[in-house]
Structure formats: structure tokens, C-alpha cells
Amino acid sequence: MARGDLLVALVQSGVGNDELAFRRAAEALIAEENAKKHSVLASQLAEALTRRRNPGSSVSPLTRPRESAGLLHETEPLRRLNELVLPTVVRHAVTDLIEEHHRRDLLRSHGVEPRHRVLLEGPPGSGKTSLAEAIATEVAVPLLTVRYEGLIGSFLGETASRLEALFSAVRIRPCVLFFDEFDAVAKERGDTHETGEIKRVVSSLLLQVDRLPSHVIVVAATNHAELLDRAVWRRMQLRLSLPSASREGKIEWLRAWAARTGVKLGKSERTIADRLRDVSYAELEDFASDVQRRQILDGFDSDPEAVTERLLKSWSHRAKPEAGD
């Protein structure tokens, strides 16, 4: 929605006493000012919206930054989509999502919002966190990662209250809101082993996700998709599966990394991929960084092949998790 449309929507909803529509239009306007770095004006608008709230309304008030402290970790995303090895169907789906947000004004002129709820499932190290960061980079918004140690409380009702504070804090700024290990807070409510408090938290979480405006892209990642509440699947507009690293994928990743960094590996990508056959993409990146780090420390006279061979031997003796860990 263009700025003129936002102002029209704001006035129309205000005249019509449509509190929810008014709030959404105001939040979109505040988010637009935040995106333009007009922080003073955005803060003034947010403060005015907070004061306006009807005490009898079911709509949550805006949360000031200090009230959401400890719930989110903000980072400036740097990873690009073309750096990732992704299945073709996943790459196309994410590219479409990014285009929708780049051309959201065109969509909104037809009364359509860009999609903004994404579920990523796959084994550890398959690139879920990296993909969330890449989406944030390509859309040019900050990456906000939910901190569960600050979110999950030990007292009845505490977690739901913190959830409300978290979502209220992010509603007025364009961002990627990333839930890693989403099954920690979105477990199946039919599980007889879960307490009534956890079920209320899941219900509150899903309600808050529904209310988020489209300038907040929610990316939820899980290694255990089977544990998620069934309602989570219905709410996610994109549901993408990231597989374990294949031999071909590792070769592609190593070639791209070497070309991007200029680091000489000293051995063929095929040889390295074969000797690191059990590692994930995340571990492969750790290995490549180890090679780069060692070459820097050894100086200009270092032998790339010797460095890589030494680290391959070291990695072959790395401790592995015990079964069931």
C-alpha cells in the first residue's frame, strides 16, 4: 500500500470506528517511517497510538523497546541468497516471496498482500537459519531472532504475557522475525503429556501470528516437524523442506565459497566432499573457515594442500554426538 493509500485507510477506519483496521493502517504507516529511518516521527506516532488505545479493546497495545528487552536478538543480515545451496523448488519459492515484498505496492493496489509466513523444516545444519538471514538481506530488513531464554517463563501466564510483548514490539517495523526450533513453543496441543499452560501458550502464539501485518515476515524453523501443532501448518503460507547436504551440494558450495573468498583449498572440491561425507552445510562452512583461518595464521608461504590435508585429518577425528543425544 502506497503512503497515500495508508493515509486514506487511516482516515476511513477512524471515521468508521473500525479499531482493528485503524490500528493496522497506523502500524503500517509507522513501519514505513521506521524503514525510512524517520525514527523520531515513528516514535511519536507509536506513542500516540499507544495513548489512543481503547481500554475495552481486545487489540494489544504497542510495547516500548524496554518492555521487549531480552526477548529478541537483532542482527544486520549479510548472507545473500545466491550463497546458499538450495533445492530448485525452494529457491524459486523464496525468490517469489522476495519479489512480492519488493513489489508490494503493486500487489496492494489490487487489494492483495505479500505472503509473510514461512515454515522451514529439515535436519540440523541444512541451512534454515542461513535462509532466514538471506531473506532478510534480500528484503533489506533486520533479522530479529526470538530468544527463548527470555520468552519462556516459569510461572503460570508469564510466557503468554511475554509473547504478547514480543509481537507488540515488532508490529511497527519491517523485519524478519525468526523462530528457531519452533517446536519449543508450538507443540501439538493434542499431546496428552503437555500441560494446559503450554496449550494456552500455543493458542496465544497462533493468534499473535495471525494478527501480524505483512511487513513482518515470520520465518519458523524446526528439526522436528512432526511435533508441531497442526494449526501451525495451516497458518504458514510457504512450507519448505531443506534436505541434508548431498555430495553434489557440498561440491557446489565449496566451489562457490572458494570463488567468493579467493581462498585456495589445495584439493579438489570432490575430494573434500568425499572425505567430509557425513557433515552438514553448517559444518562444511565451519571447515572452510578453519582452512581460511589456518592459511592466514601460517602466512603467505603456507601450502594450501598441506593445510587442507591437516584439517581433513583433524575433522576425521572430531568427537561425534552419542546416539540419542
Side-chain angles (χ1 to χ4, degrees):
M1 188 184 297
R3 184 184 177 94
D5 293 336
L6 281 176
L7 294 173
V8 170
L10 195 66
V11 172
Q12 288 178 339
S13 58
V15 171
N17 291 321
D18 186 339
E19 180 67 24
L20 182 57
F22 179 88
R23 184 179 182 80
R24 285 175 174 168
E27 288 170 344
L29 186 62
I30 295 168
E32 183 176 303
E33 297 305 322
N34 272 321
K36 293 177 180 177
K37 308 300 183 183
H38 299 165
S39 55
V40 174
L41 177 57
S43 296
Q44 290 173 340
L45 290 170
E47 183 68 26
L49 185 59
T50 300
R51 289 198 304 267
R52 183 189 185 280
R53 180 180 180 247
N54 183 347
S57 171
S58 61
V59 182
S60 301
L62 296 179
T63 299
R64 294 177 177 82
R66 65 176 180 274
E67 294 173 313
S68 60
L71 302 179
L72 296 164
H73 175 65
E74 179 174 346
T75 54
E76 180 183 352
L78 299 173
R79 198 178 300 268
R80 304 303 299 265
L81 189 63
N82 60 13
E83 297 175 15
L84 307 183
V85 176
L86 299 169
T88 301
V89 65
V90 173
R91 186 175 298 278
H92 286 169
V94 173
T95 301
D96 286 348
L97 176 76
I98 292 167
E99 182 185 9
E100 290 174 21
H101 282 268
H102 283 165
R103 306 181 68 189
R104 55 187 175 272
D105 286 353
L106 175 60
L107 290 176
R108 287 168 176 169
S109 70
H110 292 271
V112 179
E113 291 290 322
R115 291 172 294 174
H116 64 111
R117 297 190 294 271
V118 184
L119 177 64
L120 305 177
E121 67 92 13
S126 56
K128 299 183 293 296
T129 301
S130 296
L131 184 51
E133 181 182 354
I135 291 172
T137 301
E138 302 299 343
V139 180
V141 295
L143 177 67
L144 305 181
T145 302
V146 177
R147 298 176 58 181
Y148 293 129
E149 70 273 18
L151 179 65
I152 299 175
S154 57
F155 297 103
L156 198 65
E158 195 173 48
T159 301
S161 175
R162 292 177 182 177
L163 265 175
E164 185 173 352
L166 183 152
F167 279 99
S168 181
V170 302
R171 291 176 63 89
I172 57 174
R173 60 183 307 195
C175 63
V176 167
L177 179 62
F178 181 52
F179 287 86
D180 198 8
E181 299 181 8
F182 196 49
D183 47 279
V185 289
K187 288 184 178 179
E188 170 60 56
R189 283 171 289 183
D191 188 345
T192 56
H193 296 94
E194 293 297 346
T195 65
E197 170 65 4
I198 292 297
K199 295 176 182 179
R200 284 190 291 273
V201 167
V202 175
S203 297
S204 176
L205 171 66
L206 297 178
L207 179 62
Q208 296 287 358
V209 168
D210 277 344
R211 289 177 173 175
L212 279 177
S214 61
H215 56 256
V216 178
I217 303 175
V218 177
V219 179
T222 181
N223 305 331
H224 301 286
E226 73 281 359
L227 298 180
L228 292 177
D229 190 273
R230 284 167 287 183
V232 170
W233 294 88
R234 293 197 301 271
R235 282 167 168 80
M236 295 302 178
Q237 298 154 313
L238 272 181
R239 302 189 292 240
L240 305 175
S241 180
L242 300 181
S244 300
S246 64
R247 179 178 184 267
E248 294 73 18
K250 292 174 188 176
I251 294 171
E252 179 185 347
W253 190 94
L254 286 166
R255 284 175 178 165
W257 181 85
R260 189 170 64 252
T261 62
V263 174
K264 297 184 183 302
L265 293 169
K267 290 181 178 290
S268 72
E269 293 82 5
R270 288 184 174 85
T271 298
I272 297 172
D274 287 340
R275 292 182 63 177
L276 296 176
R277 60 182 180 274
D278 296 326
V279 304
S280 65
Y281 286 123
E283 291 171 314
L284 189 63
E285 183 171 7
D286 288 341
F287 171 82
S289 296
D290 284 352
V291 170
Q292 182 179 29
R293 191 178 296 110
R294 192 67 259 166
Q295 287 188 17
I296 292 171
L297 293 175
D298 287 354
F300 294 108
D301 296 331
S302 66
D303 180 356
E305 183 177 6
V307 169
T308 299
E309 177 62 28
R310 172 184 167 189
L311 287 168
L312 283 170
K313 289 180 179 178
S314 174
W315 272 64
S316 69
H317 293 89
R318 288 208 317 165
K320 294 180 174 59
E322 297 293 335
D325 281 2

